[in-house]
Amino acid sequence: PMHPELLRQSSVAASAHATGATLLSLLIVFIAAKVGAELFERLKQPAVVGEILAGVLVGPQVLKWVQPAETLTLLSELGVLF
C-alpha cells in the first residue's frame, strides 16, 4: 500500500495537470474564435460564423487540439445562456 502522503501528493499533481489542461483548452478556443472572427469580419461576413468554424477546426472533428471535457461543456452551456 502507498503511503497516505504520497497519495495526497499524486492527487494534487493530477488536479493541477487537469486544471492546466483545461486552461490550455480554453486559451486555444478563445484565440481560435478571435482569429476566426477577425478573418470573417475582414471578408465582410458575420464574425459569429468565423467563431463557429474556428471551433469546428480546433475541436475533435478536424485538428483534435481540444477534446470535449466536463468543464468545457459546462462553460459552453453558460455561454449560450449569456
Side-chain angles (χ1 to χ4, degrees), residues 42-60:
R42 289 179 187 211
L43 296 172
K44 307 285 190 235
Q45 299 298 316
V48 70
V49 175
E51 293 168 345
I52 291 170
L53 289 177
V56 170
L57 184 68
V58 299

Side-chain angles (χ1 to χ4, degrees), residues 5-17:
E5 181 64 23
L6 290 175
L7 285 174
R8 187 187 68 75
Q9 288 175 355
S10 65
S11 69
V12 168
S15 176
H17 175 66

Side-chain angles (χ1 to χ4, degrees), residues 8 11 19 30 53 67 69-70 77:
R8 187 187 68 75
S11 69
T19 301
F30 286 143
L53 289 177
Q67 296 297 320
E70 185 178 340
E77 296 209 8

